[in-house]
Structures are given as C-alpha cells and as structure tokens.
Amino acid sequence: MQTRHASARAHPDPASAALLRAVLLGGALSLASWACAPGQAAPVQVAPVQAARSQPDPLAALAADSAFVLEDLRWLSSDELQGRAVGSEGSRLARTRLAQRFADAGLEALAPGYEHAFRFTRRNEAEERTGVNVVAVRPGTGRPGRVIVVSGHYDHVGVRDGEVYNGADDNASGAVGITALARALRGVPLRHTVVFAAFDAEESGLRGARAYVAEPPVPLDSVDVNLNLDMVARTAGVLWAGGASHTPTLRPILEDVASRSPVELRLGHDRPGAPEGDDWTGQSDHRAFHEAGIPFIYLGVEDHPDYHHPTDDFERVVPAEFMDALRAALLTLLALDQALPPSGR
Ligand SMILES: [Zn+2]
C-alpha cells in the first residue's frame, strides 16, 4: 500500500490493440497467431477452454483448490523471491508463475507472456526503471464490450538492512488471489469481459496501475469497475470493502455479498474527509482507476503489526481466513457480473 504520485508510460504495440479489439468483439484469438519480437518473453502455452456442458460451481472449485492456492501463497512469499522488489530476479520469478497461472486458467494474453512493460522514475531518483504488469483477458458472453478489471499488485519492498520483506499479506495474497479466482471461474460463462491484472511497482507509487491507466490495453471507457485486492489474508474475521461511498449503486451489491460472505464484510474506509489514514481511497492501485473516473471496489484488511515489516510471513497467515476472504472476493466478482449495469458507463 502506498500514496505517492508519478507519471508512467507503457508502450503497448499496435498488435496488442488489434488482439484486444478481437477479444472485446468476442473473437478470442489463440496465442499461436501471435508473432514474438526478438527479446520478448516466450509465449506461454494456453490450455484450450473446454465448452462447459454443465455449469461448474466456481465456489466449490475455489474450495477444492485451497491446497494449491495456499502453496502458491507460500512460494510467492518465500525467501527465494527475496521480497519481489520491482526489477529484481524475485520479481521475474513471481510474474512467470502468475503468467503460467493465467495460462492454466485458459485466459488470453494481450502481449507475449502476458507481460506489459513500462518505464518510470522514482521520486528523487535519476535512474529510469522498468516494471512489468501481468495482464490477461477472459472474454464475456452477455456484455463482452463491458469490462471488469480485477487487480492485485505482486511486488513488495524486497530486502532492507539485510532482511527479506516477504509481503505474504502485502500483497502475495492479492496476486495469488486473482489467479485463484481466474481458475475457479474456468468453464463458467460471465456476462462481462474480465481483465485480470497483476500490477508491478505498487510500492513505488502505484506505478503499474498508473501505467495501465495511462496506456490502457483495454479502452478505459469500456471499464465498468475495478475490483482491487490488496492485503486479503490477515482478516482476523473482518474484510473491508471500500468504494461504495464514491459509487452508491455499488452499495446494495456489496450488502448482498456481505449477507452471504463467510468472513464479515464491512463497507467503509472510503469516506472523503475522514480522519487521516481512515480513507483508503488513495492507498492502493484502485486509486489510478478512481482518478480516471472509474468506480472501484477495494478489498483489504486493517493494518496489522506485521504490515511492511519483515515479519509479514506466510507462517502468520491463517489458511481458513485467507480462503474465506477469497470466497468473498469471488462472490463480489460474480455479483458485479450479474448486477451491472446500473452504474455501467
Ligand atoms: Zn500492497
């Protein structure tokens, strides 16, 4: 979580836009038709999407997948990835795994390897850095031209004073969480096109999300809402949903989810003018969408003593709390898909 600003420019090429238009117009192209430029990441093999004979139950699929999801959380927040600082080897390992998970879920890539690189410069630094967002698309069936962006940043702060900051809650939980949602939805037709985005460089000032909004691989005016997951593991029984104060038509959708959620879902932390630190509207990647006038729902937990400490480790995650939070996130995505519009743009 961070609050600083910066300008970032991504450089999607024309072919991405062409592929995107095809996806949005419901014509998902297979990855094989994508020619790789020299030096770009090798394309990931995409599993063919099987036509669903009987509609699978995504909530049951998520529950059945819990051991796999937890192993991904353990690995993404392991010392091996050295805190996933932007530009690091750990960051590269993390996004390769996330891209493979998107491929395993049958999602389409808009760029080779699902990777969208962008350049940025940190405040008070001269050196230009490269971040890489991992972005995948799932075409909709009912309203394919309308888009829900499901996001969670995968970077963390790396190593400080010789200590690895593994960021299990912040935000290995959200990055792994969105891949778990994608997998649970395999074979489930949704009305909306869903873009899954694992943003990079959130800890450097929401840079990946700002790069996405500055050079959107999907037209921004086709996006109905951003559902952002940042710190969704350490709930202690309460998960917050922010955004309804800015978009009141989201409130009944969230209240309905809260009535069915296995974890207590509280609406709030989004009131402008609230006491310092109480309004989370600007505290994670959803801010970039909010500033572009796009409604958002932010799912996250209260700060805990391990937040941005080297003790934010997998061992401190209660597996049932994390899986319950993901179930609430999946219920939210399904409810949005069913309920939109009324606030559709
Ligand atoms: Zn975070």
Side-chain angles (χ1 to χ4, degrees):
M1 258 208 224
Q2 284 281 337
T3 56
R4 285 177 298 162
H5 287 277
S7 64
R9 296 200 59 74
H11 300 285
D13 55 48
S16 306
L19 179 67
L20 166 70
R21 269 192 298 279
V23 166
L24 279 183
L25 298 168
L29 295 174
S30 80
L31 199 61
S33 67
W34 182 270
C36 284
Q40 286 190 338
V44 176
Q45 294 310 315
V46 176
V49 177
Q50 303 301 330
R53 262 177 292 291
S54 61
Q55 182 127 331
D57 172 358
L59 295 164
L62 178 65
D65 200 27
S66 55
F68 189 90
V69 175
L70 287 160
E71 171 48 26
D72 264 358
L73 181 66
R74 183 204 64 73
W75 182 79
L76 212 73
S77 58
S78 65
D79 286 355
E80 183 189 343
L81 273 68
Q82 293 287 290
R84 309 182 306 278
V86 59
S88 70
E89 174 58 10
S91 167
R92 188 192 66 75
L93 290 169
R95 66 172 172 270
T96 304
R97 170 72 63 98
L98 296 170
Q100 187 58 56
R101 292 293 178 258
F102 286 152
D104 296 345
L107 304 184
E108 290 288 344
L110 298 173
Y114 300 88
E115 297 195 349
H116 296 248
F118 59 92
R119 311 276 291 166
F120 69 98
T121 310
R122 276 193 188 135
R123 197 176 280 186
N124 311 323
E125 284 188 0
E127 176 206 357
E128 206 178 30
R129 295 167 179 267
T130 299
V132 182
N133 291 334
V134 186
V135 179
V137 175
R138 184 186 198 283
T141 57
R143 303 179 75 219
R146 304 307 304 173
V147 175
I148 298 172
V149 175
V150 177
S151 60
H153 73 93
Y154 71 90
D155 66 302
H156 196 48
V157 298
V159 178
R160 288 180 176 169
D161 309 321
E163 293 205 84
V164 182
Y165 285 61
N166 285 315
D169 195 22
D170 188 13
N171 189 34
S173 66
V176 167
I178 66 172
T179 67
L181 265 58
R183 243 189 344 273
L185 289 165
R186 249 183 315 206
V188 178
L190 293 181
R191 300 171 62 236
H192 295 79
T193 290
V194 180
V195 169
F196 290 88
F199 290 130
D200 198 0
E202 188 271 355
E203 304 288 359
S204 304
L206 318 181
R207 306 302 181 119
R210 291 188 186 285
Y212 180 98
V213 167
E215 297 277 355
V218 170
L220 280 189
D221 59 10
S222 71
V223 179
D224 278 347
V225 66
N226 165 228
L227 174 61
N228 185 41
L229 279 58
D230 193 347
M231 297 177 61
V232 292
R234 304 277 300 269
T235 68
V238 175
L239 183 67
W240 286 92
S245 293
H246 299 285
T247 312
T249 48
L250 292 174
R251 189 171 296 282
I253 300 172
L254 287 170
E255 285 167 349
D256 163 56
V257 171
S259 70
R260 297 178 285 126
S261 171
V263 57
E264 184 188 341
L265 190 69
R266 283 190 201 160
L267 279 61
H269 279 305
D270 58 2
R271 239 172 357 90
E276 175 70 25
D278 190 57
D279 178 7
W280 299 349
T281 299
Q283 303 237 344
S284 180
D285 294 318
H286 51 276
R287 175 181 188 155
F289 292 86
H290 177 63
E291 288 176 347
I294 295 169
F296 72 87
I297 292 176
Y298 163 57
L299 297 178
V301 302
E302 282 289 355
D303 289 0
H304 47 75
D306 300 315
Y307 168 63
H308 274 223
H309 282 70
T311 48
D312 180 6
D313 284 324
F314 174 74
E315 290 69 27
R316 298 196 174 200
V317 170
V318 176
E321 284 185 12
F322 178 46
M323 292 312 298
D324 282 351
L326 293 189
R327 189 178 172 90
L330 182 54
L331 286 168
T332 304
L333 177 53
L334 292 167
L336 287 169
D337 185 58
Q338 281 310 307
L340 292 172
S343 64
R345 293 154 52 95

